[in-house]
Amino acid sequence: MKRVGLVLLVLLFGVTLFACQSEDQFDLDEKTSIVVGLEAAYAPFNWATPTQNEFTVSITGQAGFYADGYDVVMAQRIADALGLNLVIKAYGWDGLIPALNAGEIDLIIAGMSPTAERALTVNFSEEYYRSEQVMVVRVDGSYADATSITDFSGAKVVAQAGTLQDDLIDQITGVIHQETLNSYSDLVNALAYGTSDAFVAELPVATSIVQTNSQFMIIQFGEGLGFEVSDEDIMVSVAMRLEDLNLLDAVNEALSGITNLERQQIMQDALLRQPQE
Amino acid sequence: MMMILTSIPPKDEFFKTIIYLLDTYGSFFIRGVLITLLLSVVGTVGGFILSLFLTIIRNQDIDYKRDSWFEIAIKKLGIGFTKVYITVFRGTPMIVQAMIFYYGIAPLRLSFWNPLVAGLVVVTLNTTAYIAEVIRSGINGIDKGQMEAARSLGFSKRQSMFKVIFPQAIKNSLPAIGNEFIVNLKDTAVLSVIGVFDLFKATQSATSSNYRPVEGFFIAAVIYLILTFITSKLVDHLEHKKVKVVNVNA
């Protein structure tokens, strides 16, 4: 019996070693394409559409599905700068970092903030968008006149699971911090059907949601009245594997070629390409 | 620059929104249904075939007088494996199995490994465990007299198993296997977690830019209902037929 245990242990070690075998750096000269992962469910950063246009890229493995949005345009710009073909794959939010580390994708361009916690498992580029954190509430609700986060004392507030927005809720004193939900569609539901009084979102996402839901409105906060956030929290960055240092340099260089003004324009256009109510 | 300005009906226009979604994202729903059907059919048929192997392995008789020690060891190992297999796959949620299989195998960089393949593997392995249990209870439900009669007619133990017991047990299990198919139609929705574009994920995509999940998933619910309703009618039909056949035989 002991011997069987030993054999199993050796086998397990072998498998683990094999699985952990560090791949070489991303080979910019050898590779012909770069695989970008996103949710295709986080408008205006990324969403899915059945219609092709000059901005869309088809989602690999899902014929007839095209990804569109700010992230897709940025991904295309980065791929162009690197001289690589852009391949897009869609994963659930929680599946993105596992997919990256499993080598299924090379970059995550999915409106992801470079939090310190995530930075332990992946590398982040310089920011490719900077945003502000706002609240989305019902127009006819009791929080429509809120101006400060302290006004949300006693309110039922919710956010997407595993996001910065969820952590921010605790800054509101006396808040009812609700169990997180899996996607922004769920947040919209929770608000529309009164399960929640408000949810936390970054401005472009909130704009896109309000655009398609006229019963909702955005609460923006003035200086000192909103959430206390660090720089890393309001930035979104491209994520890549820790070992791909050369890719990090290349992506940063590509991003430095896109001016702030251009970025605002790309976001504006992405918002306009979405369905409006 | 050309702008694609699309407009969706206001939030309170439930049926208009449904028509809008069907009209704009019809191709998503169709593709989602096809993938869901593929997962369910492959899972159930593949699970059925694999479960037959499991059943054969599990029903081996160990003859301590005649079998060599090697045969006994192999048989014991086989029986032990089937027990562990069924316990593990019935005792863990399919969503957990999907995560372990997909992300566990992905680092091996197999060229054919993608979410759909992983989904097909997981649903097949999962269904195998359930159908193996169904067939086992089917075998238990066969009267002992059947085996005794076969043996007294000169069939060997193996022949009695394969020619008398198994065919009846499988025939009795068919409705339950049909139910497994219905279960698969619904439960494969969890595979969207690894990026399989089944009906659930397709619906999520269809509402990804317009934030109309209730209307979108209402469509999905109706589609799921249609699929399961048709299947359960087919299973009923099968069951009815089975009774007839048994009556004729009796």
Side-chain angles (χ1 to χ4, degrees):
Chain A
M1 216 44 227
K2 259 188 185 163
R3 223 173 270 172
V4 176
L6 196 70
V7 170
L8 278 178
L9 208 66
V10 170
L11 268 175
L12 200 69
F13 262 112
V15 170
T16 322
L17 277 179
F18 185 52
C20 292
Q21 208 171 33
S22 164
E23 287 274 311
D24 291 332
Q25 282 195 35
F26 187 87
D27 196 332
L28 282 165
D29 302 319
E30 280 285 306
K31 297 259 183 170
T32 53
S33 58
I34 189 154
V35 187
V36 170
L38 38 75
E39 274 182 289
Y42 189 55
F45 284 100
N46 52 72
W47 71 83
T49 165
T51 44
Q52 236 178 324
N53 66 43
E54 57 184 299
F55 305 101
T56 56
V57 177
S58 63
I59 300 177
T60 306
Q62 285 108 46
F65 288 68
Y66 300 92
D68 195 357
Y70 181 81
D71 287 334
V72 179
V73 176
M74 292 306 265
Q76 189 65 65
R77 293 285 293 259
I78 292 169
D80 288 348
L82 268 50
L84 297 169
N85 281 323
L86 177 61
V87 176
I88 297 259
K89 283 189 184 178
Y91 289 91
W93 177 252
D94 292 326
L96 284 169
I97 290 182
L100 179 68
N101 284 326
E104 292 284 289
I105 52 179
D106 301 315
L107 299 175
I108 299 172
I109 307 183
M112 190 179 269
S113 293
T115 60
E117 200 186 0
R118 287 182 194 137
L120 294 174
T121 45
V122 294
N123 261 340
F124 283 105
S125 71
E126 301 287 326
E127 67 184 74
Y128 72 90
Y129 191 77
R130 181 175 282 258
S131 150
E132 72 178 289
Q133 305 299 329
V134 298
M135 293 280 234
V136 179
V137 299
R138 279 190 306 277
V139 175
D140 58 359
S142 37
Y143 297 93
D145 303 323
T147 51
S148 148
I149 60 166
T150 53
D151 293 338
F152 286 92
S153 178
K156 291 175 286 181
V157 182
V158 70
Q160 189 185 18
T163 58
L164 156 77
Q165 285 78 18
D166 182 47
D167 298 334
L168 293 181
I169 296 177
D170 288 328
Q171 291 186 14
I172 310 166
T173 42
V175 76
I176 302 165
H177 188 162
Q178 292 184 303
E179 199 60 44
T180 54
L181 297 172
N182 278 330
S183 70
Y184 273 80
S185 305
D186 298 339
L187 298 181
V188 167
N189 259 350
L191 189 56
Y193 295 95
T195 333
S196 302
D197 294 318
F199 63 82
V200 188
E202 48 190 328
L203 185 58
V205 177
T207 310
S208 132
I209 289 171
V210 170
Q211 211 167 255
T212 50
N213 290 278
S214 49
Q215 68 195 100
F216 294 168
M217 61 179 285
I218 295 171
I219 306 285
Q220 270 176 286
F221 305 105
E223 194 71 39
L225 297 173
F227 295 105
E228 253 179 64
V229 286
S230 58
D231 251 7
E232 63 172 37
D233 289 340
I234 51 170
M235 288 163 24
V236 293
S237 294
V238 180
M240 61 211 89
R241 281 179 293 273
L242 290 171
E243 64 261 29
D244 290 340
L245 291 170
N246 55 343
L247 195 55
L248 180 65
D249 292 338
V251 168
N252 278 337
E253 202 186 311
L255 289 176
S256 68
I258 309 168
T259 64
N260 219 351
L261 203 67
E262 270 183 287
R263 292 177 194 194
Q264 299 305 327
Q265 190 57 51
I266 293 170
M267 182 54 91
Q268 210 58 48
D269 293 346
L271 282 167
L272 283 172
R273 283 203 300 283
Q274 279 188 253
Q276 328 266 329
E277 191 172 285
Chain B
M1 189 162 47
M2 202 195 74
M3 286 287 56
I4 301 100
L5 278 175
T6 39
S7 73
I8 53 175
K11 187 90 183 171
D12 49 357
E13 294 275 6
F14 189 79
F15 289 104
K16 269 191 188 162
T17 307
I18 283 184
I19 288 164
Y20 164 82
L21 287 174
L22 282 174
D23 185 40
T24 316
Y25 298 101
S27 63
F28 280 20
F29 288 110
I30 290 168
R31 191 159 168 92
V33 167
L34 290 179
I35 298 285
T36 290
L37 279 174
L38 177 73
L39 287 164
S40 310
V41 170
V42 170
T44 313
V45 173
F48 175 65
I49 293 166
L50 288 181
S51 72
L52 290 181
F53 285 107
L54 273 195
T55 307
I56 291 167
I57 294 170
R58 190 159 61 170
N59 279 285
Q60 291 179 114
D61 264 324
I62 296 177
D63 189 335
Y64 286 99
K65 278 184 192 153
R66 271 179 237 163
D67 290 351
S68 69
W69 66 269
F70 184 72
E71 276 174 300
I72 293 173
I74 290 288
K75 281 180 179 176
K76 277 196 166 170
L77 206 68
I79 292 167
F81 167 76
T82 60
K83 280 184 183 157
V84 171
Y85 180 92
I86 290 169
T87 308
V88 168
F89 275 91
R90 289 207 325 155
T92 53
M94 191 154 76
I95 193 168
V96 171
Q97 295 161 12
M99 288 301 256
I100 293 179
F101 265 87
Y102 181 58
Y103 293 114
I105 292 179
L108 304 180
R109 308 279 160 96
L110 304 171
S111 55
F112 62 85
W113 195 247
N114 62 42
L116 181 59
V117 173
L120 289 170
V121 168
V122 167
V123 71
T124 305
L125 293 180
N126 186 282
T127 313
T128 301
Y130 281 93
I131 296 187
E133 279 300 282
V134 164
I135 294 180
R136 184 176 77 131
S137 62
I139 289 173
N140 288 346
I142 303 289
D143 194 273
K144 258 193 183 161
Q146 294 284 329
M147 175 60 102
E148 284 161 8
R151 298 286 281 149
S152 68
L153 284 173
F155 283 89
S156 73
K157 243 183 183 173
R158 177 171 298 214
Q159 281 174 325
S160 322
M161 249 329 187
F162 277 90
K163 301 211 160 131
V164 179
I165 307 294
F166 278 177
Q168 296 185 67
I170 290 166
K171 200 152 70 176
N172 289 344
S173 308
L174 279 179
I177 292 170
N179 280 331
E180 265 323 302
F181 182 75
I182 296 178
V183 168
N184 278 342
L185 278 175
K186 295 183 293 172
D187 285 6
T188 47
V190 304
L191 295 172
S192 64
V193 75
I194 54 167
V196 177
F197 258 72
D198 69 324
L199 180 53
F200 180 84
K201 183 84 181 165
T203 311
Q204 239 177 9
S205 294
T207 56
S208 68
S209 64
N210 46 51
Y211 295 101
R212 290 283 195 274
V214 173
E215 290 84 350
F217 283 101
F218 182 81
I219 297 173
V222 170
I223 298 175
Y224 275 121
L225 256 180
I226 293 170
L227 293 178
T228 51
F229 183 77
I230 293 173
T231 318
S232 65
K233 282 283 160 225
L234 281 174
V235 172
D236 281 352
H237 183 71
L238 209 68
E239 206 164 2
H240 196 65
K241 228 179 174 177
K242 183 209 80 186
V243 172
K244 255 196 210 157
V245 173
V246 170
N247 283 344
V248 171
N249 281 355

